[in-house]
Amino acid sequence: MPEYIKKCPECGSINLILNRERGEVICRDCGLVIEEKMVDFSQEWREFDSEQADKMRRTGPPSTWVKFDKGLGTDIGQKGDIYKLDSKERNKFFRLRKWQYRVSTAIERNLKLALAELRRVASYLKLPQSVEEEAARTYTLAVQRGLVRGRSMESVVAGALYAACRRHEVPRTLDELSEASGIDKKEIGRTYRFVTRELGIRIMPSNPIDYIPRFASALKLTPDTQSKAVEILEDAQRNELTSGRGPTGIAAASLYVAALINNEKKTQREVADVAGVTEVTIRNRYKELLRKLNLKDQIKKKEAS
DNA sequence: AAGACGAAAGTGGTTGA
DNA sequence: TCAACAACTTTCGTCTT
């Protein structure tokens, strides 16, 4: 936990929990997501003695896919010392420089632009570094395979980001990606599917539970309700109510029911808005939940009290 | 008057011949 | 490549609080 976060700005609680994988800090008491975009402080290797440490430790910035040349680029003939050479050698240098320029232009210029766009969208969505990194890698591969041809650069960037989010279980909805990138939702979905298929990226269907903290926080629901919703979700998964359904719809319905049970009633519209689904979908899921999970009793009980 | 409910028709994507 | 299909949306009328 970084030093500067001590208390929840919403309720003043110091009961904060850090989810390193998702790069989120969440208040246990009010469910507020305090910090979403976090630096990964860990080192990814372990060292047991000084000999290993010498091998493992690196100097300088780590190689990264976010930089178009992975931070390892070399320029030919930048300094003035080429003028110490005779004219023949000098010409050789000029030719080399020209070549490097030509090679650089095609793919790398595209990458430069695309990765800038990627950074922009990723920071807008407050995505953790690891996701950005993964998306950059995916995009680079896509460019090398010529998958961008015939598609807009931005849509491939958005698709790569969406895929990376899913892989890291930091789900963002297509709507959110669409809003951040300014690309049509369908277009993102299309390129996402295309790119993952072509690159053979396997992605598990996203888990509705992953959406709960964010939605609950947006709705200002208590942590009690939030864990109730998770409980309901787990129950629903056991009863096979979740397969084949849109994960956001189920997450939304669970939250709606949980809020109902805990007397924190939100309207279907409110929940639908933050989850990016319609009231109808919530109703349908909600009906199924009530029928299969005998939650009716719990609601009645609350009403009686 | 607002929210909840449900029916009906439409949309985009998947699947299987 | 096309048609059937499931999930979800949009729209709209009715009921409840």
Side-chain angles (χ1 to χ4, degrees):
Chain A
M1 174 95 46
E3 290 295 323
Y4 58 89
I5 299 179
K6 293 255 172 64
K7 287 195 293 186
C8 170
E10 188 72 14
C11 65
S13 160
I14 54 165
N15 194 5
L16 306 179
I17 182 169
L18 167 65
N19 184 329
R20 277 186 189 277
E21 269 182 31
R22 288 181 208 178
E24 291 175 346
V25 174
I26 297 166
C27 173
R28 273 210 165 110
D29 286 332
C30 67
L32 182 75
V33 177
I34 296 162
E35 182 72 56
E36 286 185 296
K37 185 188 181 188
M38 298 203 45
V39 181
D40 186 354
F41 294 99
S42 63
Q43 55 187 37
E44 78 281 19
W45 69 87
R46 291 199 292 170
E47 50 196 46
F48 299 98
D49 53 44
S50 65
E51 195 186 322
Q52 282 188 30
D54 285 342
K55 278 189 200 155
M56 306 295 257
R57 283 184 182 159
R58 304 179 289 264
T59 307
S63 166
T64 171
W65 290 90
V66 177
K67 296 271 180 66
F68 71 95
D69 56 3
K70 306 196 199 77
L72 297 174
T74 303
D75 285 328
I76 297 174
Q78 289 283 352
K79 287 258 182 91
D81 45 354
I82 58 166
Y83 295 105
K84 291 182 198 147
L85 303 164
D86 62 34
S87 65
K88 204 173 157 192
E89 287 293 293
R90 209 186 305 168
N91 277 335
K92 190 173 166 190
F93 267 101
F94 283 139
R95 279 203 311 279
L96 283 173
R97 185 147 70 174
K98 197 156 145 197
W99 262 107
Q100 191 204 29
Y101 179 73
R102 283 187 185 158
V103 169
S104 307
T105 47
I107 287 181
E108 291 187 357
R109 189 184 291 167
N110 178 317
L111 270 180
K112 247 181 180 167
L113 273 168
L115 293 178
E117 170 71 4
L118 191 143
R119 291 191 75 90
R120 193 187 64 74
V121 177
S123 91
Y124 183 91
L125 289 172
K126 302 203 183 357
L127 293 171
Q129 183 69 37
S130 58
V131 172
E132 192 180 324
E133 185 80 11
E134 165 106 15
R137 202 181 114 251
T138 306
Y139 185 86
T140 306
L141 285 175
V143 171
Q144 285 165 356
R145 299 266 200 100
L147 302 180
V148 187
R149 196 158 307 207
R151 249 164 278 270
S152 80
M153 189 194 81
E154 289 91 343
S155 71
V156 180
V157 165
L161 269 171
Y162 182 66
C165 286
R166 296 279 297 270
R167 294 253 297 188
H168 287 248
E169 295 180 339
V170 197
R172 293 293 183 272
T173 60
L174 277 177
D175 285 312
E176 290 169 301
L177 252 311
S178 172
E179 200 219 318
S181 64
I183 307 291
D184 190 58
K185 187 177 150 189
K186 294 170 204 163
E187 182 68 22
I188 298 177
R190 257 208 302 277
T191 52
Y192 155 73
R193 246 171 283 113
F194 179 73
V195 168
T196 49
R197 183 156 35 85
E198 290 298 314
L199 297 181
I201 299 173
R202 307 265 261 88
I203 291 178
M204 297 290 112
S206 63
N207 186 340
I209 294 177
D210 292 332
Y211 289 100
I212 293 288
R214 235 157 23 91
F215 291 169
S217 170
L219 286 168
K220 302 216 187 339
L221 291 168
T222 61
D224 240 23
T225 307
Q226 190 171 324
S227 44
K228 183 76 194 166
V230 172
E231 207 178 291
I232 293 170
L233 263 179
E234 284 167 350
D235 211 3
Q237 284 174 340
R238 250 175 273 124
N239 290 59
E240 273 145 13
L241 281 175
T242 55
S243 68
R245 269 77 208 270
T248 48
I250 301 182
S254 307
L255 269 175
Y256 177 69
V257 181
L260 227 53
I261 292 174
N262 283 3
N263 290 327
E264 292 185 60
K265 176 151 176 150
K266 298 280 177 227
T267 64
Q268 294 179 350
R269 169 122 252 50
E270 287 174 294
V271 181
D273 277 345
V274 306
V277 295
T278 60
E279 299 151 86
V280 182
T281 303
I282 292 190
R283 276 203 291 276
N284 291 335
R285 295 294 89 80
Y286 159 72
K287 259 193 306 184
E288 292 168 6
L289 288 176
L290 285 196
R291 193 154 40 81
K292 294 269 182 175
L293 303 179
N294 62 350
L295 285 167
K296 276 180 198 163
D297 311 335
Q298 296 189 46
I299 294 177
K300 290 242 175 71
K301 227 179 277 170
K302 286 287 166 183
E303 278 171 356
S305 62

